[in-house]
């Protein structure tokens, strides 16, 4: 009698993340944000704390400046980000979230909370808390190996 081997752990993580991302994008589309790109979330989180120049943003995202520019151009065109002259150096433009960008970020944060609460209702809050703890440990270990902060973007 043969038994089906369990799904590889990494594949399982990837499938779970894909399901989460699909649900997030569906929720955001329902809220009027159907035009987002795959990197928007990272940029929104970085700009929520403090405005950045394009080169600072590229460095933080570990992207090339042309790659970051492509994302920023799309976000500016869709009304999520604006460019503002730097107070100290007029050659530099600071990237800021627009009210639309802030609304998108708020909707995404709300979704994250609702998603975790729904999992808790379905699976039990203790199981979800345990899963969260495992993921936090994995993130901290990766941050320790890389020398980067465990704080998400």
């Amino acid at each position: 009698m043969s038994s089906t081997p369990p799904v590889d752990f990494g594949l399982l993580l990837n499938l779970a993340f894909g399901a989460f991302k699909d649900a997030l994008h569906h929720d955001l589309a329902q809220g009027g944000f159907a035009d987002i790109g795959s990197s928007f979330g990272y940029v929104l989180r970085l700009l929520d704390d403090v405005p950045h120049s394009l080169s600072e943003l590229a460095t933080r995202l570990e992207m090339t400046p042309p790659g970051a520019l492509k994302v920023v151009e799309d976000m500016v065109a869709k009304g999520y980000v604006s460019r503002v002259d730097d107070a100290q150096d007029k050659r530099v433009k600071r990237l800021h979230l627009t009210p639309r960008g802030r609304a998108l970020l708020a909707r995404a944060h709300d979704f994250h909370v609702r998603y975790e609460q729904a999992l808790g209702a379905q699976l039990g809050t203790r199981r979800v808390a345990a899963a969260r703890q495992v993921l936090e440990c994995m993130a901290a270990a990766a941050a320790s190996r890389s020398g980067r902060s465990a704080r998400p973007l």
Side-chain angles (χ1 to χ4, degrees):
M1 181 168 131
S2 69
S3 65
T4 305
V7 176
D8 290 336
F9 189 71
L11 181 57
L12 193 57
L13 286 171
N14 190 44
L15 291 169
F17 177 66
F20 172 83
K21 197 167 81 166
D22 288 347
L24 171 62
H25 284 250
H26 176 76
D27 183 80
L28 293 175
Q30 295 293 335
F33 303 106
D35 60 348
I36 62 169
S38 61
S39 298
F40 281 25
Y42 300 108
V43 173
L44 292 168
R45 286 178 182 270
L46 283 173
L47 296 181
D48 187 38
D49 293 335
V50 63
H52 285 67
S53 69
L54 181 65
S55 62
E56 292 166 346
L57 186 73
T59 298
R60 292 285 309 274
L61 294 174
E62 298 180 351
M63 295 176 75
T64 64
L69 177 62
K70 184 176 179 180
V71 174
V72 167
E73 290 286 339
D74 191 24
M75 293 181 80
V76 168
K78 293 175 178 174
Y80 295 107
V81 172
S82 66
R83 292 185 181 95
V84 177
D85 288 336
D86 184 277
Q88 273 71 49
D89 186 348
K90 297 297 181 198
R91 296 170 297 173
V92 175
K93 301 285 187 193
R94 292 278 162 199
L95 304 170
H96 293 258
L97 292 183
T98 63
R100 180 166 170 74
R102 291 207 176 279
L104 170 57
L105 187 58
R107 174 96 185 198
H109 281 305
D110 181 60
F111 174 81
H112 283 249
V113 171
R114 287 184 285 115
Y115 191 90
E116 191 169 348
Q117 288 172 342
L119 277 179
Q122 179 184 359
L123 304 172
T125 57
R126 291 175 76 187
R127 291 175 75 188
V128 173
R132 170 178 272 286
Q133 189 174 27
V134 167
L135 294 172
E136 287 170 348
C137 287
M138 291 173 68
S144 176
R145 285 190 303 275
S146 70
R148 287 187 235 129
S149 169
R151 181 185 176 277
L153 292 177

